[in-house]
Amino acid sequence: MAVGPLVVHVARLRRSLGTTERIKTSVALDAERLAPATPADSRVPEGAEADCDFVLESYSGGIMVTGVLRVPWSGQCRRCTAPVEGTLVISMKERYCDPPGRGEPEDEEAFPIVDEAIDLGPMVHEAILTELPLAPLCAEDCRGLCPYCGIDRNEQTCACVAPRDPRWASLDVLRSTS
Ligand SMILES: [Zn+2]
Ligand SMILES: [Zn+2]
C-alpha cells in the first residue's frame, strides 16, 4: 500500500457511485520532482506547499478528481531578468482508474487506483510542471535590457541606437559635412 501525504483511500467512495469526498489540505512538495532544467527556469520556491482543494467523486470507471491547486512560483523576467513571482492557480480535472486487466478498458490518461487507494501526489506534481510559466514577464510592457549597453530600460535610458544599415553610411557622411 502506497503511503504519502496525498494518498486517499477510495473503497468507501466506490461502494456507491456518485459519492463525493472533499480533500482540502496543504502539502509539502517534492523539490526533486520539480527541479528546474536550467537555473533560469521558473520554479516552485524551496519548501513551498501546494494548497489543494479537490472533490473526489466515484463513477463507474473509477474516481474523478476536480478542484483547484494553488502553488507559489518564482522565476525571472524573460526581458529584463528581474525576479518575478506569483501564484499558480490550476484547475484540475483528472481520472483515476483501475489498472488494465480488471475488466475496464485501459485509459492511458488516467492515474492508477492501487489497492483501493489513489495517490494525488503525481497528479499535483505533473500539473505544476505543466503550468509553470516558461517565459514570464515582470510586466506586460517590460522594456527589457538594452542589447548594446545592458542597462535596464525600465529604470534608465541610454543613448544607444541600433547600428545603421551600412548602405546608408555614405548619406551620413554627406549630412555631417554639409
Ligand atoms: Zn522585465
Ligand atoms: Zn544602451
Side-chain angles (χ1 to χ4, degrees):
M1 169 74 63
V3 284
L6 281 173
V7 172
V8 182
H9 296 272
V10 295
R12 187 187 61 80
L13 282 178
R14 301 191 78 190
R15 226 167 279 140
S16 113
L17 298 185
T19 310
T20 59
E21 178 176 347
R22 187 168 183 199
I23 307 286
K24 199 168 182 327
T25 184
S26 294
V27 284
L29 293 163
D30 181 347
E32 242 167 70
R33 268 148 108 180
L34 297 172
T38 79
D41 284 347
S42 298
R43 69 199 59 220
V44 174
E46 212 164 308
E49 295 199 326
D51 265 329
C52 306
D53 190 354
F54 301 146
V55 173
L56 278 43
E57 180 172 6
S58 58
Y59 70 105
S60 58
I63 301 286
M64 179 70 80
V65 181
T66 53
V68 179
L69 173 63
R70 285 186 178 78
V71 67
W73 67 276
S74 63
Q76 56 178 225
C77 175
R78 69 168 184 262
R79 290 187 199 145
C80 73
T81 73
V84 196
E85 53 181 33
T87 303
L88 290 176
V89 180
I90 308 171
S91 288
M92 309 294 299
K93 187 169 188 186
E94 298 291 345
R95 296 181 306 276
Y96 280 75
C97 298
D98 288 311
R102 285 180 56 183
E104 293 291 334
E106 185 168 7
D107 186 337
E108 292 195 347
E109 283 171 18
F111 293 91
I113 299 176
V114 180
D115 296 337
E116 293 303 306
I118 65 176
D119 186 356
L120 300 171
M123 177 191 82
V124 163
H125 287 82
E126 250 179 56
I128 295 170
L129 281 174
T130 309
E131 296 293 326
L132 275 173
L134 286 178
L137 284 173
C138 63
E140 279 307 314
D141 59 353
C142 171
R143 294 155 85 182
L145 303 179
C146 172
Y148 307 107
C149 71
I151 64 139
D152 184 342
R153 291 189 293 202
N154 299 304
E155 287 168 2
Q156 301 174 60
T157 47
C158 59
C160 302
V161 285
R164 295 195 175 209
D165 188 315
R167 283 171 297 176
W168 300 107
S170 54
L171 279 179
D172 283 344
V173 173
L174 282 178
R175 244 182 242 139
S176 57
T177 50
S178 59

